[in-house]
Amino acid sequence: MTTEPVSAGGDPRRLLSEVRSLAHRVRVDQRMTWVALLVLAGVTFVGIPFDWLGMTVRCRPDSSCEFARRGALYYWPPALLLAYAAIAVSYVRAARARGLGARVLPYVIAGAATTVVFTAAWVAAPLYFASHPESMQRLSYWWLVLDRLVSPWSMIGIALVVLARIERNIGLLLFTLAYLALVLLVLPMNEGWGLAGWGLQAQFAVPQAISGAVLLLGAVGFFTAARRRQR
Amino acid sequence: MTAPGTPDPDAGHPVNGLDEVVHQRARLGILTIAHEAHRVEFGYLRTHLELTAGNLSKHLSVLESAGLIEVEKGYEGRRGRTWITLTATGTTALANEIARLKQLIDRVETSNGQ
């Protein structure tokens, strides 16, 4: 540590470079990315039995089935709101312990807003299709993608994009884009996935377990990276 | 004389618009960290700016007198804690200083290129 007064002014390039480096250091010290991903992974795993037990399935003699994911609808809105509150508290506490303020509020607001959007969409869709049953026959691939977009698993990803933006965290942005591509385009979150003979509940559990595992792996990866930086 | 953080509109060269209070390595560092952190504790500033407690206190007094920061003292358990927050004037002063520094760099690069 220096006891001499620091010289005034200096090379503008050096000063700007120091300003950027200090700002980056603060942003890195404020991050708790792994906690956010761990909480969201936990919420995803806990949601599987709720979806399984709360799903009502009615199969007709022609082997076509109708189902309603009531368990997921009742579980996810409060679970997500609690998860965002828990993430906010852990961010604020960790930042405070390090001697910093936290910038997590926009993420929590985005999380709450996406929760409202998903809930409204899941309530509105069955009401619409009940009064327009013919439109169910004309659903395109992109409607299925839109349906996945307004699911809680995708909404987690949308809110994570906001977190990556406020943290200016390129690693989290890349992870989130890959996660969103997975839950929107690869995993059949709204159709189910599994072997022949599996029940509908089990088929819906598989993509949820995969998305939870991806979030958990992300949490482990960001935790390891944060530990390495501290050494 | 202009208020701290307000660039002199008559200043032609970017150097003339630099604010003496802000254009100082440690004070610029304090403003940068406080801006990025929203709120920063004395100990964090001391560690990351590599200053002694006495030196840091002097710089904080200068910034507080100029109305660029607010200093809040309190306790967490038995431990005394001092938190620093940037004021709206401080935010403007920091933005102006960074803009002036960029202008200076542009000028130097333009004159070197000629």
Side-chain angles (χ1 to χ4, degrees):
Chain A
M1 279 199 188
T2 177
T3 51
E4 294 300 312
V6 183
S7 62
D11 175 14
R13 260 196 213 89
R14 201 176 135 212
L15 278 175
L16 258 189
S17 155
E18 282 180 9
V19 162
R20 288 190 183 121
S21 151
L22 280 171
H24 178 71
R25 178 76 245 174
V26 171
R27 284 198 291 270
V28 168
D29 285 345
Q30 285 176 315
R31 284 178 195 164
M32 288 290 285
T33 315
W34 69 271
V35 172
L37 294 177
L38 186 67
V39 170
L40 294 169
V43 168
T44 304
F45 284 127
V46 175
I48 295 172
F50 278 88
D51 193 29
W52 186 303
L53 298 171
M55 192 183 296
T56 53
V57 184
R58 257 178 267 135
C59 290
R60 298 188 197 92
D62 64 352
S63 77
S64 64
C65 293
E66 256 181 32
F67 61 90
R69 303 177 81 174
R70 300 227 179 275
L73 181 60
Y74 295 138
Y75 165 78
W76 276 98
L80 278 178
L81 293 176
L82 282 174
Y84 290 122
I87 291 167
V89 168
S90 62
Y91 260 78
V92 169
R93 288 184 73 164
R96 199 178 167 84
R98 289 170 188 160
L100 294 168
R103 49 171 67 228
V104 72
L105 190 62
Y107 171 61
V108 175
I109 292 170
T114 53
T115 305
V116 170
V117 168
F118 129 73
T119 310
W122 272 35
V123 169
L127 294 175
Y128 175 79
F129 287 119
S131 55
H132 301 80
E134 72 288 351
S135 54
M136 280 287 269
Q137 312 304 318
R138 303 184 259 112
L139 294 180
S140 68
Y141 169 74
W142 291 109
W143 193 93
L144 284 177
V145 173
L146 180 67
D147 187 38
R148 287 177 198 165
L149 181 66
V150 294
S151 72
W153 308 280
S154 296
M155 288 301 166
I156 284 175
I158 302 289
L160 280 176
V161 171
V162 175
L163 184 64
R165 171 70 188 87
I166 59 176
E167 286 188 344
R168 296 189 205 174
N169 190 339
I170 299 291
L172 179 60
L173 180 65
L174 294 175
F175 170 83
T176 306
L177 292 178
Y179 170 82
L180 274 173
L182 186 78
V183 294
L184 281 174
L185 305 172
V186 181
L187 292 177
M189 306 300 297
N190 48 359
E191 293 166 282
W193 202 20
L195 298 173
W198 285 17
L200 208 53
Q201 284 94 338
Q203 290 186 21
F204 274 104
V206 173
Q208 291 180 66
I210 294 173
S211 68
V214 170
L215 289 169
L216 187 61
L217 284 175
V220 172
F222 280 101
F223 175 75
T224 311
R227 267 292 171 90
R228 274 202 198 129
R229 260 197 306 270
Q230 282 168 2
R231 279 178 198 159
Chain B
M1 182 87 182
T2 54
T6 313
D8 184 351
D10 298 331
H13 195 280
V15 167
N16 297 333
L18 288 171
D19 184 339
E20 285 297 315
V21 176
V22 183
H23 188 68
Q24 203 281 347
R25 197 178 144 263
R27 291 200 283 269
L28 186 58
I30 293 167
L31 294 179
T32 302
I33 292 175
H35 177 257
E36 210 54 46
H38 287 203
R39 198 163 175 256
V40 60
E41 210 260 324
F42 187 90
Y44 187 91
L45 287 174
R46 200 179 58 188
T47 308
H48 288 82
L49 296 173
E50 297 181 341
L51 295 168
T52 61
N55 247 335
L56 178 57
S57 295
K58 280 181 202 161
H59 288 302
L60 291 177
S61 297
V62 172
L63 292 171
E64 193 180 15
S65 307
L68 304 184
I69 59 163
E70 278 172 6
V71 179
E72 181 196 331
K73 294 187 183 200
Y75 284 90
E76 254 179 41
R78 287 182 180 179
R79 207 175 139 205
R81 294 263 243 172
T82 303
W83 289 91
I84 292 96
T85 316
L86 208 59
T87 61
T89 317
T91 306
T92 311
L94 179 65
N96 287 336
E97 172 71 10
I98 290 170
R100 292 283 179 189
L101 288 175
K102 283 179 181 166
Q103 280 176 12
L104 266 175
I105 293 168
D106 286 346
R107 282 239 180 173
V108 171
E109 281 172 356
T110 310
S111 58
N112 283 349
Q114 284 170 352

